[in-house]
Amino acid sequence: MWELTALLLLATLEKPILSLHPPWTTIFKGERVTLRCDGYHPLLLELRPISTLWYLGHLLLPSHKKSIEVQTPGVYRCQTRGAPVSDPIHLSVSNDWLILQVPYAAVFEGEPLVMRCRGWYDKVVYKLHYYHDGQPVRYFHSSANYTVPQARASDSGRYQCSGTMRIPVESAPMFSAKVAVTVQEAGHAAAVRLLQIQSRRAPLRLGRRVHRPRARGRGAGIALVRGCYRQPQRPETQPLAAASGAGFSPGRGVHYRPGPTGRGFGAR
């Protein structure tokens, strides 16, 4: 069982990390945000220029840069050579007077949950109310972020804000669209942080050996190699790769991983 768990962990480690700057998933029409793709690159492929694939839904975008500016709503993903497709980021674009902005990244129990109610192109919002599942939870005289210092699972739900703006005279109360927020269990936080740290580490180098504990029963003796698995050789340690160069083969178990459009960088 531990072998399967480790293989699944390695598969996750190889995913690029897609980030959003600024970190809000809803913007006003005409605004732009920056998407950045940070990923793991196999050692041999690092000898060549690294390019990135970008997807909007199932559409392959023309850019191959590490970061791009976007303003079109939809689901974005990225992919680096030798890695599977990243987790998605959903970008929404609004034409309303008022939007509620929440962070794109997962929020875990014990972490702060921050959201902001924003007026059209940063107009000041007065008589500002924040709502959680239809119930008012906080009032501000004018524009301010709403923060839950230590989020709990019970803070999950649908949030909304309302307020007035002077355009040029004070308007009637206006409401934002409702936004779903999920606070995840604290037990997942450490695993996710580990994945994020490991995915940014330098690739394993040729000639290093993988040590694994002895195992018994079915599935025993599988040696883990980043991106693949192999039956072990004797003695108990095994080199990651036989040699470098153009003839290097990552071994059995490395599979082609197509992107949303059916294209990808994965080795076969």
Side-chain angles (χ1 to χ4, degrees):
M1 178 61 71
W2 72 268
E3 294 94 342
L4 177 58
T5 303
L7 289 173
L8 292 175
L9 179 62
L10 281 176
T12 306
L13 288 177
E14 292 178 351
K15 274 187 179 182
I17 296 177
L18 180 59
S19 56
L20 177 65
H21 311 275
W24 311 110
T25 56
T26 303
I27 60 175
F28 285 115
K29 185 177 180 179
E31 292 184 321
R32 291 177 174 269
V33 293
T34 299
L35 291 168
R36 180 182 174 88
C37 189
D38 293 291
Y40 157 77
H41 309 298
L43 177 63
L44 294 180
L45 293 177
E46 284 191 347
L47 301 179
R48 314 179 225 163
I50 297 299
S51 60
T52 303
L53 291 180
W54 289 96
Y55 303 99
L56 172 56
H58 294 286
L59 175 66
L60 179 63
L61 300 179
S63 177
H64 294 282
K65 296 181 179 180
K66 192 172 184 178
S67 62
I68 59 173
E69 283 192 347
V70 298
Q71 61 181 163
T72 304
V75 180
Y76 288 87
R77 293 179 176 87
C78 70
Q79 185 180 23
T80 54
R81 185 181 292 114
V85 179
S86 70
D87 291 329
I89 284 182
H90 300 251
L91 182 66
S92 298
V93 176
S94 175
N95 204 31
D96 295 335
W97 282 102
L98 206 60
I99 59 175
L100 179 62
Q101 295 183 308
V102 299
Y104 75 94
V107 178
F108 296 93
E109 289 182 322
E111 295 181 341
L113 168 61
V114 181
M115 60 188 75
R116 69 172 180 172
C117 191
R118 186 171 166 225
W120 178 260
Y121 283 90
D122 294 321
K123 288 183 179 293
V124 178
V125 180
Y126 297 95
K127 300 177 183 177
L128 174 58
H129 291 268
Y130 285 93
Y131 303 88
H132 178 208
D133 289 335
Q135 300 299 316
V137 291
R138 192 64 191 269
Y139 170 80
F140 296 97
H141 173 69
S142 60
S143 295
N145 292 351
Y146 172 55
T147 302
V148 179
Q150 292 185 318
R152 299 174 296 177
S154 59
D155 292 313
S156 299
R158 298 179 67 82
Y159 286 83
Q160 188 179 29
C161 66
S162 70
T164 63
M165 283 182 287
R166 296 171 182 173
I167 44 177
V169 297
E170 189 167 350
S171 67
M174 294 178 285
F175 289 79
S176 72
K178 294 181 179 179
V179 179
V181 174
T182 301
V183 178
Q184 302 187 26
E185 293 181 6
H188 297 297
V192 171
R193 297 292 181 262
L194 174 63
L195 297 181
Q196 292 174 341
I197 293 172
Q198 291 290 343
S199 65
R200 293 186 175 96
R201 286 185 178 176
L204 298 177
R205 297 188 178 277
L206 298 177
R208 297 187 65 179
R209 297 175 180 268
V210 176
H211 296 262
R212 84 283 187 271
R214 292 181 178 271
R216 298 180 180 179
R218 187 174 182 181
I222 295 179
L224 299 179
V225 182
R226 192 185 293 273
C228 64
Y229 67 90
R230 300 178 187 171
Q231 294 297 330
Q233 303 170 355
R234 294 187 180 181
E236 288 296 314
T237 57
Q238 171 190 354
L240 284 178
S244 61
F248 172 74
S249 173
R252 298 170 58 189
V254 180
H255 301 286
Y256 176 72
R257 297 178 179 270
T261 61
R263 299 178 57 185
F265 287 128
R268 298 187 74 132

